[in-house]
């Protein structure tokens, strides 16, 4: 199974948010993905994330994976801001997408967020998102939030 297209972000390397949020389900993977071509974009739109041959994340997608503790931590700093400024609904219960027309604005919003924080976890996570957004822009594809 190919895994070089998947990276994992662990908020616990920066802090322990379970102290703030209480019980968390750390068995569920939360994923943000960027498709690299038209075929994988179509698959991402329909949440077909897995490669039929090896069962891993489609090798034509880049994936940032994390757990519920990271979601809750980043929700306040990043996801709610993207929701408000892009008219999105990034939450734990539905898939959401940043399409090709929204990528430039999303990158600017993320840069603004990073310029206004000194939280190392937010900076590192946010920079990964910016990098992924730039890849989506370069490939003229989308970014999907599959929680």
């Amino acid at each position: 199974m190919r895994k070089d297209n998947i990276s994992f972000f662990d908020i616990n390397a920066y802090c322990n948010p379970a102290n703030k949020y209480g019980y968390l389900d750390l068995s569920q993977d939360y994923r943000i993905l960027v498709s690299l071509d038209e075929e994988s974009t179509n698959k991402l739109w329909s949440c077909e994330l897995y490669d039929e041959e090896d069962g891993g994340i489609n090798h034509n997608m880049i994936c940032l994976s994390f757990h519920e503790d990271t979601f809750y931590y980043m929700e306040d700093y990043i996801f709610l801001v993207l929701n408000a400024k892009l008219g999105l609904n990034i939450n734990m219960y539905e898939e959401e997408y940043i399409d090709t027309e929204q990528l430039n604005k999303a990158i600017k919003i993320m840069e603004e967020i990073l310029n206004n924080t000194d939280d190392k976890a937010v900076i590192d996570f946010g920079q990964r998102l910016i990098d992924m957004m730039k890849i989506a822009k370069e490939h003229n594809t989308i970014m999907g939030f599959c929680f």
Side-chain angles (χ1 to χ4, degrees), residues 9-65:
F9 188 90
D10 185 3
I11 192 68
N12 292 289
Y14 302 87
C15 63
N16 187 353
N19 292 336
K20 178 178 180 182
Y21 300 113
Y23 175 77
L24 298 168
D25 178 4
L26 301 179
S27 65
Q28 171 74 28
D29 284 334
Y30 290 68
R31 296 186 174 106
I32 300 173
L33 301 110
V34 169
S35 54
L36 299 177
D37 58 26
E38 185 177 351
E39 181 181 350
S40 62
T41 296
N42 292 335
K43 288 183 177 189
L44 184 53
W45 278 119
S46 61
C47 291
E48 296 174 35
L49 310 179
Y50 302 100
D51 190 287
E52 294 174 10
E53 291 178 20
D54 67 18
I57 296 293
N58 183 312
H59 65 276
N60 287 323
M61 295 180 192
I62 295 171
C63 177
L64 174 59
S65 183

Side-chain angles (χ1 to χ4, degrees), residues 1 14 23-24 33 43 57-58 72 74-75 88 94 99 131 134 138-139:
M1 180 173 8
Y14 302 87
Y23 175 77
L24 298 168
L33 301 110
K43 288 183 177 189
I57 296 293
N58 183 312
Y72 277 122
M74 296 303 163
E75 182 178 40
L88 300 175
E94 298 176 41
D99 63 32
D131 293 344
K134 288 179 178 178
E138 177 184 319
H139 290 271

